Amino acid sequence: MVDTVGLDLCLGLDLGKEFNHALGPTGQGKTVHDRRLPKTEPKLRELFEKLAGKFSAVLVVVDQVADIGALPIAAARASGCRIAVCPGCRCAAPPTSTPARPRPNAGKFGDRADCQAVRGS
């Protein structure tokens, strides 16, 4: 079980073969991050440190830990973020695609309910 007391931001990571995506809703429902993740450790740490600086308690939720999840998890931990593993979690990618913003995994994800469940809200 994940301790969500005092949590300010739940950042869900969708770790995929082509690219990684992050979605970060706050407890008030405002989305502060909804875009692809960088692929290098320095850029990942920069992102996580920026979010950890803005929000005092950040929970990074990943859908898988092996191989492709190792680098983002290590960068998040090094930046002071909490980590939660939620296999099959659907909180990390937006539910829709638009012509201007196609999402290859859009059909796989329903809504942000999984992240709300992890948050306990």
Side-chain angles (χ1 to χ4, degrees), residues 101-115:
R101 212 167 155 185
R103 310 275 168 103
N105 291 332
K108 177 179 168 189
F109 300 92
D111 55 33
R112 298 176 185 167
D114 281 346
C115 205

Side-chain angles (χ1 to χ4, degrees), residues 34-78:
D34 182 5
R35 60 184 82 104
R36 287 185 181 188
L37 282 176
K39 296 254 183 197
T40 65
E41 184 175 6
K43 292 286 186 181
L44 284 166
R45 287 184 75 159
E46 181 182 326
L47 170 65
F48 294 132
E49 287 169 3
K50 177 182 166 189
L51 292 173
K54 187 173 182 179
F55 300 94
S56 60
V58 178
L59 175 67
V60 176
V61 182
V62 296
D63 60 351
Q64 52 188 305
V65 294
D67 299 328
I68 60 175
L71 181 61
I73 290 171
R77 276 196 181 122

